[in-house]
Amino acid sequence: MTQEINNPLPGAFEAIDLATKASGFTMASDVQTCSLLKTLAASKPGGKFLELGTGTGLSTSWILAGMDRNSTLISIDNDEKFLDIAEAHLSQDTRLALVLADGEDWVESNREMKFDYIFADTWHGKYLLLDEVLEMLNKGGLYIIDDMLPQPNWPEGHDRKAINLIKDLEARKDLVLTKQVWATGIVIAVKV
């Protein structure tokens, strides 16, 4: 067994990857994480999905590739330049709603919504508004975060934030979680 990804890449992946590199965006999820996102998405047929932090849509394309046709995905980002890349390559997928919004504003305005799968790839839902976002997760729903191992683009002191987040998640009684020292460092939790 190797860590190679032998699944076919999502249809839009290569074009989004080229546009991502050209844009200078350096915070895209790695391919191993994306492959896991696809696999986990396949476990939620007819599911309601939320991605906090679209970026350019690389991880979005993988989540969509794992979803069935009865599932829906809302993906939020606050940077129009990068969201435009996702829009250009993924907007034809009717299961997807791309939303340009501040994460805090969107979460506060949509707290009554419930999801079966939340990928928190930005500060909101991870380091900010954690309780609020976890309240949006259905029982049996998946909460997924990445970049929990030190990354070259982390600002000084960010390692403490990551350590404290892990401690907070481990202390919760409403989650069963697994920490993976793999890819960029992934945590997968299920709401109980």
Side-chain angles (χ1 to χ4, degrees):
M1 184 168 78
T2 67
Q3 293 191 41
E4 253 184 326
I5 304 303
N6 292 317
N7 292 322
L9 298 173
F13 178 82
E14 290 182 17
I16 296 172
D17 189 42
L18 285 173
T20 299
K21 289 172 181 161
S23 75
F25 184 70
T26 61
M27 298 183 297
S29 295
D30 72 308
V31 175
Q32 290 174 316
T33 300
C34 288
S35 177
L36 180 62
L37 292 172
K38 175 184 175 182
T39 299
L40 294 173
S43 76
K44 298 293 180 189
K48 295 185 182 305
F49 293 72
L50 175 64
E51 179 182 39
L52 296 167
T54 312
T56 59
L58 282 171
S59 56
T60 314
S61 71
W62 285 85
I63 295 168
L64 288 167
M67 290 168 36
D68 71 7
R69 67 176 150 200
N70 297 317
S71 296
T72 57
L73 170 60
I74 298 171
S75 188
I76 314 297
D77 206 282
N78 68 349
D79 192 317
E80 188 170 12
K81 173 185 171 187
F82 299 128
L83 196 63
D84 283 348
I85 294 170
E87 180 80 29
H89 298 282
L90 300 173
S91 63
Q92 73 284 358
D93 193 322
T94 58
R95 301 170 300 163
L96 174 64
L98 291 169
V99 179
L100 176 63
D102 174 77
E104 180 177 7
D105 293 343
W106 190 89
V107 169
E108 291 294 349
S109 298
N110 293 282
R111 288 174 68 167
E112 77 290 347
M113 294 184 81
K114 296 290 185 188
F115 296 93
D116 303 302
Y117 176 117
I118 297 174
F119 176 45
D121 195 26
T122 189
W123 283 59
H124 295 99
K126 196 172 183 179
Y127 300 108
L128 304 170
L129 300 175
L130 177 64
D131 292 334
E132 292 83 351
V133 168
L134 289 174
E135 280 299 314
M136 300 172 89
L137 192 61
N138 283 325
K139 201 170 223 179
L142 293 166
Y143 171 76
I144 308 148
I145 55 176
D146 66 346
D147 299 331
M148 298 310 296
L149 292 173
Q151 301 298 305
N153 60 358
W154 277 9
E156 188 173 327
H158 188 75
D159 58 327
R160 294 297 328 152
K161 287 184 184 348
I163 290 166
N164 290 335
L165 173 59
I166 295 296
K167 286 180 182 176
D168 289 347
L169 290 171
E170 288 177 328
R172 294 185 69 102
K173 303 295 183 216
D174 61 342
L175 296 177
V176 174
L177 67 98
T178 294
K179 302 174 292 183
Q180 298 179 322
V181 182
W182 175 77
T184 61
I186 298 171
V187 175
I188 302 169
V190 175
K191 183 97 171 261
V192 294

